[in-house]
Amino acid sequence: MANIQKTQTREITAAVIRKKGGPFRIETLGLEEPRSDEVLVRVVATGMCHTDMVARDQLYTVPLPIVLGHEGAGVVEQVGGNVKKIAPGDHVVLTYMWCGHCKPCLNGHLTYCKNFYPLNFGGAREDGSTATHDGGGSVHDHFFGQSSFGTYALVHERNVVKVPKTAPLELLGPLGCGIQTGAGAVMNALKVRPGSSFATFGGGAVGLSAVMAARVAGATTIIAADVVPSRLALANELGATHTVNSRETDPIEAVRAITDGGADFTLESSGRPEVLRQAIDGLAIRGVCGIVGAPALGTEAGFDVNGVMTTGKRIIGIIEGDSVPDLFIPSLVELHAQGRFPFHKLVKFYSLDQINQAAEDSEKGITIKPVVRIGS
Ligand SMILES: [Zn+2]
Ligand SMILES: [Zn+2]
């Protein structure tokens, strides 16, 4: 720790991944003060998302060592001189990073930012610099622009979303990724209609968020397919009208039987090519299948070309629910306050020193959405 200059860096405690597969190691690090366009956030709690494990295991390559964490919520501690959007003391949710100057960003589809991969998985700022150090050298950060598995996160003004102080801050971090992915897929990308049928293939945090959103959107048939009975029970509680245990029943046949031929909308959130096939085959004529599950880079999947062509089916990839976080996240906070989007039912809290347990429980399906409490 001798090399950390106290005048320019602040001491933080963070979970560091030093080798492929982990574990998360709790360490003391140094973090730089904010630049003119940056915001220092005191992290209250951070959700754990499947993508943290994907990065830990290097299915998506990230440079090591790195501080992960991309569902942070906290309180603004300090802002750079050019920051206009927020002020110290504001409560914020941290979300993904986008560049703001490419064509998809200019078209309002920030989740398809041309620079999404380097900005969110590059382990550094847009200019390639890092802000985090251990005694010996740099530690990669800015994972999803935030690296929030630590007591403080240094983020850009763009990936901070102000939320009301009346909302339960320690619960809100997952709105920045997993929850907005499922809810936004239904509301922004698939545009599920009142009276329509919707089926999620995969009942994790994303799939169950989609179930809640489908109910808000007015779907009258909402099917959840998964292999874990406890997830299916929760899906029922959250608004699913039917559940299918894919281990016991052929989910394609089940969805076709329930919907008289196929669902208007399906969502694949498991990241498995064979489940994607089910989600396509379970569609109605002119139905739309959204892909949100992330397999390893380079994974390919198959489908019956004529089966898709002659029925006018559409298959679309969806990142982060195609959401504009400054607009979408506050709307989810309000839906939660009104009791119409009870995502707290997915959450179980862990302390920072239990972070490896949180990851294990998530991977085993014991916990749908772990949230790691970090500060207050
Ligand atoms: Zn962009
Ligand atoms: Zn995520």
Side-chain angles (χ1 to χ4, degrees), residues 182-329:
V186 165
M187 293 171 164
N188 304 324
L190 295 174
K191 298 189 192 302
V192 169
R193 298 180 299 271
S196 66
S197 53
F198 169 80
T200 177
F201 290 74
V206 171
L208 291 175
S209 299
V211 165
M212 287 184 280
R215 188 186 199 186
V216 171
T220 42
T221 302
I222 302 173
I223 306 166
D226 200 282
V227 295
V228 182
S230 60
R231 290 178 171 199
L232 296 175
L234 187 53
N236 267 323
E237 198 182 322
L238 296 173
T241 56
H242 301 77
T243 57
V244 176
N245 187 327
S246 307
R247 195 165 276 155
E248 294 166 358
T249 313
D250 178 351
I252 303 166
E253 291 307 317
V255 168
R256 284 176 178 164
I258 293 163
T259 56
D260 193 23
D264 297 317
F265 303 96
T266 62
L267 189 69
E268 199 303 293
S269 63
S270 74
R272 295 166 186 265
E274 68 276 18
V275 179
L276 174 58
R277 176 71 193 257
Q278 294 168 357
I280 296 167
D281 289 349
L283 279 176
I285 291 171
R286 300 195 68 244
V288 190
C289 170
I291 305 173
V292 296
L297 291 178
T299 302
E300 298 193 354
F303 58 87
D304 178 345
V305 176
N306 289 300
V308 169
M309 179 180 67
T310 60
T311 55
K313 291 177 182 176
R314 283 181 290 154
I315 305 164
I316 57 173
I318 308 167
I319 289 289
E320 296 285 349
D322 198 4
S323 85
V324 175
D326 281 311
L327 302 176
F328 193 54
I329 290 175

Side-chain angles (χ1 to χ4, degrees), residues 48-52 70-71 143-144 176-178 181 320 369:
M48 181 169 282
C49 174
H50 180 64
T51 310
D52 291 304
H70 66 287
E71 290 185 346
F143 183 63
F144 279 76
C177 185
T181 292
E320 296 285 349
K369 173 53 73 180

